[in-house]
Amino acid sequence: FSTPFSFAVLKKRLVKLVVNFLFYFRTDEAEPIGALLLEQCRIIKEEENVFSISFIEEPERKYCFECDSEEQCQEWIEALKRASYEFMRRSLIFYRNEIQKMTGKDPLEQYGISEEARFQLGTRKQ
């Protein structure tokens, strides 16, 4: 999943989403020049083709991205929102509970992780 973007300071970059990292590259180089860890962040649609990423611990620092179309912008927003560990953890808990309701069995038990607190509901408030 990668596409060219312009940063708010009008620098054209190629970005690539890998799990929960958003790597950014100069358009003429193969190695990334930086990466954003997509944890504890807010992703907001700013304008028709523009969205931003800001971090809860540094709200004054905002990264803006301009897409080629509104549709592309929405696709990126959705992909980035699904990229965080916390989103994946909540999804795992939800599907684990749904499977347990349907089958009566904990689907993670066979992997020896049925008692791990991080996969339990109510371990902390969302």
Side-chain angles (χ1 to χ4, degrees):
F1 196 106
S2 63
T3 189
F5 280 102
S6 297
F7 278 69
V9 291
L10 301 178
K11 293 183 180 178
K12 189 132 179 142
R13 299 286 186 241
L14 178 69
V15 296
K16 185 174 186 178
L17 178 61
V18 179
V19 188
N20 61 346
F21 282 93
L22 185 65
F23 293 94
Y24 49 97
F25 304 77
R26 289 191 177 93
T27 55
D28 59 344
E29 294 181 13
E31 292 298 314
I33 55 173
L36 301 175
L37 176 61
L38 299 172
E39 299 296 336
Q40 306 267 325
C41 66
R42 289 193 177 97
I43 299 154
I44 299 169
K45 186 170 184 179
E46 300 283 343
E47 297 174 23
E48 186 176 313
N49 296 7
V50 178
F51 68 89
S52 67
I53 299 173
S54 60
F55 293 88
I56 293 169
E57 293 181 4
E58 288 184 276
E60 69 286 347
R61 189 170 191 168
K62 187 192 286 190
Y63 299 85
C64 292
F65 299 85
E66 184 178 1
C67 302
D68 291 334
S69 68
E70 186 170 5
E71 181 181 282
Q72 186 185 61
C73 184
Q74 196 58 45
E75 287 174 10
W76 271 102
I77 290 169
E78 292 304 315
L80 295 171
K81 285 183 176 181
R82 291 189 307 264
S84 75
Y85 169 81
E86 189 55 35
F87 177 86
M88 289 184 261
R89 188 184 81 81
R90 281 184 273 137
S91 295
L92 172 67
I93 290 169
F94 172 79
Y95 289 116
R96 176 188 190 187
N97 288 329
E98 291 299 304
I99 291 169
Q100 197 162 7
K101 284 180 203 173
M102 293 170 66
T103 66
K105 291 185 76 177
D106 182 349
L108 298 182
E109 189 174 15
Q110 64 183 319
Y111 300 106
I113 55 174
S114 62
E115 299 303 318
E116 287 198 35
R118 65 183 167 180
F119 298 124
Q120 302 296 326
L121 279 179
T123 56
R124 64 182 192 177
K125 289 195 173 190
Q126 299 295 326

